[in-house]
Amino acid sequence: MTPSPARILIFLLPTPSLIPPPPVRRPHRALAGTARCAPEAVAGGGFVVIEDDLSELLQILPRDLRDNLQNEPRRDQLLEVILDLGRRPEARFLGNSGGQYLRDNEISQLELEEAQRAVGEFGGDNRAGIEGTLHRISAIRSRKGMVVGLTCRVGRAVNGHVDMVRDLLNYKESILFLGRPGVGKTTVMREIARVLADEFQKRVIVDTSNEIGGDGDIPHAAIGGARRMQVPEPSMQHRVMIEAVENHMPEVVIVDEIGTEAEAQACRSIAERGVMLIGTAHGERLANIIKNPVLSDLVGGVETVTLGDEEARARRTQKSILERKAPPTFPFLIEMRERHYWVTHRTERSVDMLLHGKKPLVEVRKRDNEFEVVIERWATYDGDGL
């Protein structure tokens, strides 16, 4: 399929207004690919699944569960399979908050051991993969170190999500994605890596524990021409990030799950060298990051400033106030509220206004009923909703 040209309507306003201007609509540009369509593609006709390798994941399950899921009408919507010792196996699907039991009998220790042998060795983060795929297997261990539960999560390579932020990539500035687990952050990272490497012709390095680039020594085709540096242990991620910049001269570094102070400092060091960063962090809202002492440096950090009497009276505030102490590592921050509903911040401006008790101007990026990207500007952001 030949991509259709994007049509962009730009509305210019002299000053920000509390009334949002007419939305900017961009039709989705489906990228070429051959594979079975995911449920999102069925719903809106916009997404193309490049590969999901679901059969590879099913091979590690007990035979009766494998047969059950192969005949499941919603198999394209399968999110994960839960195998817990002494409990009934459960399948969870996209769009459903609950799960579906796959049989009446409980999972045995023997079935867990067979699944573990099929997967291979787990890393220090209790995660493993299936070579050549994007699937992730996570283990739950007892106090004695024995595996008593497995979460078998389906990994899919999907094209189409990048259209929500394609215009921001042209700024060549770093972007931080926030969102709850399962909202699609890693899927977006994969596609951004491919687009920046193949379409923007950038030198891209993905710094990952294999969730973005798949398991095995050869990166999955989903990240295109981007290179990958594997992280052997989660505690070493910050070192590998710096090593990637010092040894391989990337123009873009993509980091999944920034979660420690060392990683936040490594991100700042990389950004100060002029390298574009694309990352994800734990948290649902910008306010979560501002209040997090470990990760607040990603958005500039917060410090207490004591004002003089005259300055405090002029501002009509207390003498001790909170201020941003440095430029943010990520000039753009995106809250992924849902898979197709994102809130975009200009980080510096939003942090300053929130610290001063004001509501920043943000962009709401979503898809309409025809799956076109719609960008709306609002001025009513309060950290909890719009």
Side-chain angles (χ1 to χ4, degrees), residues 35-38 49-57 75-76 133-135 154-157 220:
R36 184 175 64 255
C37 289
V49 175
I50 300 303
E51 192 172 357
D52 64 6
D53 299 310
L54 184 58
S55 61
E56 299 290 336
L57 180 67
R75 60 176 292 185
D76 288 346
T133 76
L134 300 171
H135 307 310
V154 179
R156 293 184 174 94
H220 195 279

Side-chain angles (χ1 to χ4, degrees), residues 176-188:
L176 180 66
F177 288 84
L178 305 180
R180 67 180 186 278
V183 79
K185 299 187 299 296
T186 302
T187 301
V188 172

Side-chain angles (χ1 to χ4, degrees), residues 109-301:
Q109 184 64 50
L110 178 60
E111 288 175 321
L112 278 180
E113 291 174 356
E114 290 177 349
Q116 188 177 354
R117 282 194 295 270
V119 170
E121 186 177 354
F122 287 88
D125 55 357
N126 280 315
R127 291 181 179 182
I130 301 173
E131 187 166 354
T133 76
L134 300 171
H135 307 310
R136 185 185 76 192
I137 317 299
S138 301
I140 298 176
R141 297 184 182 272
S142 68
R143 296 176 63 182
K144 296 180 180 179
M146 183 177 67
V147 173
V148 295
L150 293 175
T151 301
C152 309
R153 193 175 186 88
V154 179
R156 293 184 174 94
V158 182
N159 278 352
H161 289 293
V162 77
D163 280 5
M164 297 276 277
V165 291
R166 188 178 290 271
D167 58 319
L168 297 184
L169 297 180
N170 290 317
Y171 285 96
K172 302 178 182 179
E173 293 190 290
S174 300
I175 306 173
L176 180 66
F177 288 84
L178 305 180
R180 67 180 186 278
V183 79
K185 299 187 299 296
T186 302
T187 301
V188 172
M189 294 296 101
R190 259 185 229 118
E191 190 181 4
I192 288 178
R194 179 188 61 78
V195 168
L196 286 174
D198 295 353
E199 298 183 24
F200 286 70
Q201 298 295 303
K202 298 289 186 181
R203 298 190 301 273
V204 180
I205 285 187
V206 179
D207 177 88
T208 173
S209 57
N210 287 1
E211 192 169 356
I212 295 179
D215 201 57
D217 293 333
I218 301 175
H220 195 279
I223 65 171
R227 304 177 72 189
R228 178 182 64 175
M229 292 190 66
Q230 300 186 60
V231 180
E233 295 291 337
S235 60
M236 297 178 60
Q237 175 157 285
H238 65 286
R239 298 180 183 177
V240 178
M241 291 165 61
I242 297 298
E243 178 187 338
V245 175
E246 291 179 344
N247 292 354
H248 304 289
M249 297 181 60
E251 295 173 286
V252 183
V253 172
I254 295 181
V255 187
D256 200 17
E257 297 184 354
I258 303 166
T260 68
E261 185 175 1
E263 290 165 5
Q265 292 175 351
C267 286
R268 177 166 293 278
S269 175
I270 292 171
E272 289 174 348
R273 302 180 196 207
V275 177
M276 179 180 178
L277 279 163
I278 305 291
T280 68
H282 300 290
E284 291 192 67
R285 304 287 190 269
L286 173 57
N288 300 144
I289 302 299
I290 294 175
K291 297 174 183 177
N292 187 326
V294 174
L295 299 181
S296 64
D297 188 61
L298 299 175
V299 296

